[in-house]
Amino acid sequence: MFDPTAFDNMKVIIEGALYDHEMAGDIIIIDRNDWVNIAKMSRQFNISFTFPQDSERTTSATIELHSGISNLAAELTPESNSGKLSGAFVKLFFTLLHPNETNYYQTIETIILDIWGHSRTITQHVKWNPLNRQETIKNVVTIDFNRMITEEQMEDLLEMTRYMFITLERLYEFLRAK
């Protein structure tokens, strides 16, 4: 009998939580990827969503799982006593469209810190074409937990999805109010 990996189990938990919310009409899933990198023997899964009322797609959220060869090997070779490597790494991304103004970046950081705290690495990466004078930029906010999530922490993944909704809602309301 095939025993699914921790990565597979976590992926199923995340998908189930988000698709349940989509079925309820709370969100719209806008992208989903499940990659296997043969060269590095790693896996990556991500799923993105937005709110149905965000017709202009000014905000979206993505949760990403990543697992490398050492994580898989720890599960497949329990005799190696490397069980503490069984799991996956999680990152969250919030993609926002807004004017290129300093007060936006500061308010966004404040919102993220209020919800997620100071113990995570939070970065904002701005994408824009310098040759095209555009008023709106794309800001990708990343929350990196800087630690591995294990199967014993499955409830944390469900809690993360709840906090993602709260975060996306606050960011959407902020950008809509401007």
Side-chain angles (χ1 to χ4, degrees):
M1 173 86 180
F2 173 74
D3 188 20
T5 64
F7 180 92
D8 289 310
N9 291 334
M10 290 180 208
K11 182 180 89 163
V12 167
I13 293 293
I14 292 168
E15 284 178 310
L18 293 180
Y19 281 118
D20 284 349
H21 282 285
E22 185 179 49
M23 293 293 291
D26 302 331
I27 63 171
I28 298 171
I29 304 290
I30 56 174
D31 196 18
R32 180 184 174 283
N33 298 287
D34 195 349
W35 294 298
V36 176
N37 183 328
I38 300 299
K40 296 180 181 176
M41 295 304 294
S42 65
R43 289 192 62 189
Q44 183 175 316
F45 167 78
N46 64 46
I47 188 165
S48 303
F49 63 91
T50 189
F51 293 128
Q53 66 270 26
D54 189 1
S55 58
E56 296 177 19
R57 297 278 194 269
T58 57
T59 60
S60 67
T62 302
I63 184 167
E64 177 183 278
L65 281 179
H66 180 270
S67 181
I69 190 168
S70 59
N71 308 113
L72 181 60
E75 288 190 68
L76 298 178
T77 57
E79 65 277 358
S80 69
N81 291 327
S82 57
K84 62 183 176 227
L85 294 176
S86 296
F89 294 88
V90 178
K91 284 186 183 179
L92 306 178
F93 302 92
F94 295 91
T95 303
L96 315 167
L97 301 177
H98 63 78
N100 190 14
E101 298 175 15
T102 303
N103 64 318
Y104 278 84
Y105 303 110
Q106 293 166 336
T107 303
I108 289 165
E109 181 151 343
T110 299
I111 290 169
I112 299 291
L113 289 173
D114 284 349
I115 296 168
W116 295 96
H118 294 268
S119 63
R120 289 135 185 95
T121 302
I122 298 168
T123 56
Q124 295 186 55
H125 295 277
V126 176
K127 297 179 181 183
W128 60 288
N129 182 349
L131 301 176
N132 182 3
R133 296 189 67 89
Q134 51 194 3
E135 299 199 13
T136 302
I137 55 89
K138 182 185 217 178
N139 182 359
V140 180
V141 182
T142 305
I143 301 174
D144 191 339
F145 293 88
N146 300 313
R147 68 178 177 89
M148 188 175 56
I149 305 292
T150 65
E151 282 186 295
E152 289 76 33
Q153 299 161 316
M154 291 285 204
E155 282 297 316
D156 290 353
L157 292 173
L158 291 174
E159 196 66 22
M160 272 185 212
T161 61
R162 287 190 276 280
Y163 278 101
M164 288 177 74
F165 294 138
I166 294 166
T167 306
L168 193 61
E169 184 174 42
R170 290 215 18 221
L171 292 169
Y172 175 72
E173 292 300 325
F174 163 67
L175 295 176
R176 210 177 85 186
K178 285 290 189 170

